[in-house]
Amino acid sequence: MVLVTGDELLTAADKGKYAVGAFNVNNMEILQAVVTAAEGERSPVIIAATEGAIKYAGIEYIKSMAYTAAEKSDVPMALHLDHGKDIDMIKKCIEYGFTSVMIDASAMPLEENIAETRKVVDIAHPAGVSVEAELGRLKGVEDNVSVAERDAILVNPKEAERFVMETEVNSLAPAVGTSHGAFKFKGKPELDFDRLAETKRLTGVPLVLHGASSVPEYITEKASKYGAKLPGAKGVPEEQVKRAIGLGVCKVNIDTDLRLSLTAAVREVLAENPEVFDPRKILGPARDAINDVVKYKMKLLGSSGKA
Ligand code: G3H
Ligand code: 13P
Ligand code: ZN
């Protein structure tokens, strides 16, 4: 099968009230784990690569691996640039055949974010590539934060309405209280669901939940048992991810849970088998562990059986 656009996957998810997982890949094992899970679950999938992943693996390798995966597979998948910040890199990804790009100009003031995003849409759309953009800051928001501070960090739904109208992006990532990484909340996790629902109502586009890893205890416990130091690690509870999907989230970004499961598996192999030095015996179990996590996520997101 050829790679499909992000828009094709998200429009179907929006209609069907489920979300497609966007899983960050940095090497062959992670990519294979993600794609095999999609095949096993009969699920559409988004292969996400950040600028950091591209720097690490090389754009030729990322592109070739994703194209090989798509050719060998019969589930629909998109190749997506995650958190693109550099227009030259975005252009390069489009040239290399990415089918979806994110322009993350969320650190800029609104007018500049609109102008930058519009520039990317004008390059991507004629090439048949979908565009995702971001509004607000991906930062955990605690209960004790004032309304003014909250408003300064999280998405403003009225601004989102204008943003989508003027930029014509295909999808929008609104900041609603999640953040990247394994330490998302100091206190009780609680996303701003009212803001999310209002953003959906006013924009009408598929929404994207970044920072959606749940940081499952069984994984952090295993990693810690074998020496990892992750005190205070906390993610988005699974019920909250599901609730967000019910309110219009059609793409859920997961990286941290894959990183944690890889780390736990590698630590376990090395600790339990000190004689092992064959990379296949170290990275093979990590690939299996990621595969299990991705299959589980696909069921949670409701994308299983949708391919
Ligand atoms: O935003 C996505 C990632 O979790 C950060 O990934 O370290 O490849 O930039 P990166
Ligand atoms: P996590 O760090 O919660 O996995 O988020 C990943 C992400 O948003 C990638 O864009
Ligand atoms: Zn992100």
Side-chain angles (χ1 to χ4, degrees), residues 14-25:
D14 207 8
K15 274 203 196 96
K17 290 251 168 240
Y18 61 92
V20 181
F23 300 98
N24 288 85
V25 306

Side-chain angles (χ1 to χ4, degrees), residues 22 24 48 50 82-83 102 132 138 178-182 184 209-215 236 251 253-258:
N24 288 85
T50 60
D82 191 23
H83 293 285
M102 175 183 188
E132 170 185 333
L138 285 184
T178 61
S179 63
H180 291 126
K184 300 187 190 299
L209 191 64
H210 280 251
S213 278
S214 298
V215 189
V236 182
K251 172 172 176 273
N253 286 16
I254 311 275
D255 187 2
T256 296
D257 287 352
L258 310 190

Side-chain angles (χ1 to χ4, degrees), residues 81 84 86-94 101-103 120:
L81 170 67
D86 172 19
I87 295 253
D88 287 337
M89 177 55 87
I90 292 174
K91 283 188 189 153
K92 196 165 170 190
C93 287
I94 294 171
V101 291
M102 175 183 188
I103 162 72
V120 171

